[in-house]
Amino acid sequence: MMQNCPKEGTTNGDMVDSRRMYILPQKNHLLSLMTILRDSNTTSTRFAEVAEKVGDQLISAALDLLPFEASTVVSPTGSSYHGVREACLLCGVSILRAGASLENALRRGYTGPYNFGKILIQRDEKTSLPTLFYSKLPPDLASRKVILLEPMLATGGSACAAIDLIKNHGVPEENIIFVNILAARNGVEKLFESFPSINLVTAAVDEELTPSSHINPGLGDFGDRFYGTEE
């Protein structure tokens, strides 16, 4: 079941407004994984391993928001089992380069038909404004549900630019699920101000941004840490 942003002082509270936001339950296993990701002493190899584990949880939560239909199968004992199966075409769209880190989790998790699109948006370090450099999206994107992959939601600029692009290809915003590992409160507010019908699935929300618009306390530059390109 989708849950909204928890009330202040809670870890996973009741619905408090109309935003379509789901924060993973803040239980000890997830918190231990997030602690490793936030630790500046975590090696790149370990960081990537743990990020994949968090990604699996996020994708599982996101897939629960997709439509399913009844499906009956015959078990090895010859009995009928009345279950469900995924009932939509899906496209995973990665905001490069960090978004590609969540693609394997989607491949592992989704059992229906899917494909991938790519968007390259880079943020100017001085102005924090996004610039679109490249996009490659499937021609039938409008007929698919879209899971947008980007591990970090800071100011929300890059995410909003990517969602604008996806909507311009005919995808209603309610058919977009934005999946990320860590969000800043400012980015969440900007996202829902711009796209009130978007779906957001995240593992944690931090309250602050640094003067350079990085999430605080955050976990550093996700792409550099995941791909081992830190200076």
Side-chain angles (χ1 to χ4, degrees):
M1 178 179 177
M2 184 181 296
Q3 292 175 286
N4 280 59
C5 183
K7 298 176 182 178
E8 297 297 332
T10 69
T11 56
N12 206 13
D14 297 327
M15 294 178 68
V16 295
D17 56 35
S18 61
R19 294 186 299 187
R20 296 146 65 96
M21 181 173 179
Y22 183 89
I23 302 177
L24 293 182
Q26 302 295 289
K27 297 184 178 180
N28 284 333
H29 177 58
L30 175 64
L31 294 175
S32 70
L33 297 177
M34 294 300 294
T35 300
I36 295 170
L37 293 182
R38 292 178 184 274
D39 187 350
S40 61
N41 292 316
T42 299
T43 65
S44 175
T45 300
R46 181 63 169 155
F47 185 92
E49 291 173 350
V50 173
E52 292 265 4
K53 296 179 187 295
V54 177
D56 285 336
Q57 294 189 39
L58 289 165
I59 293 299
S60 179
L63 295 180
D64 273 337
L65 305 181
L66 297 176
F68 287 76
E69 62 185 12
S71 178
T72 299
V73 297
V74 178
S75 78
T77 65
S79 299
S80 294
Y81 174 77
H82 303 289
V84 298
R85 64 180 178 183
E86 286 145 343
C88 71
L89 298 174
L90 180 66
C91 182
V93 177
S94 305
I95 301 178
L96 300 175
R97 69 179 164 156
S101 65
L102 296 170
E103 288 181 1
N104 283 337
L106 184 55
R107 289 188 175 97
R108 286 190 294 267
Y110 194 64
T111 59
Y114 66 89
N115 56 22
F116 283 94
K118 308 284 187 179
I119 299 174
L120 176 57
I121 296 174
Q122 292 186 345
R123 186 180 71 171
D124 186 288
E125 293 298 328
K126 294 182 179 179
T127 66
S128 296
L129 296 176
T131 300
L132 174 65
F133 285 93
Y134 170 83
S135 68
K136 181 66 173 178
L137 301 171
D140 65 345
L141 187 67
S143 66
R144 295 175 178 267
K145 302 286 188 178
V146 173
I147 292 184
L148 181 61
L149 306 171
E150 168 61 281
M152 306 288 280
L153 174 62
T155 64
S158 296
C160 289
I163 294 167
D164 270 329
L165 179 63
I166 292 168
K167 288 184 64 178
N168 287 339
H169 279 72
V171 180
E173 64 185 66
E174 60 268 21
N175 286 352
I176 303 170
I177 303 171
F178 180 40
V179 172
N180 79 346
I181 289 178
L182 180 61
R185 182 70 60 182
N186 288 19
V188 171
E189 297 298 337
K190 179 177 177 61
L191 187 75
F192 283 106
E193 285 173 5
S194 303
F195 308 104
S197 296
I198 201 77
N199 300 278
L200 173 63
V201 178
T202 189
V205 177
D206 284 357
E207 296 298 324
E208 298 178 354
L209 291 173
T210 67
S212 58
S213 296
H214 291 89
I215 302 174
N216 188 42
L219 48 77
D221 187 301
F222 186 96
D224 280 345
R225 298 189 71 193
F226 187 91
Y227 293 109
T229 54
E230 291 179 286
E231 295 182 356

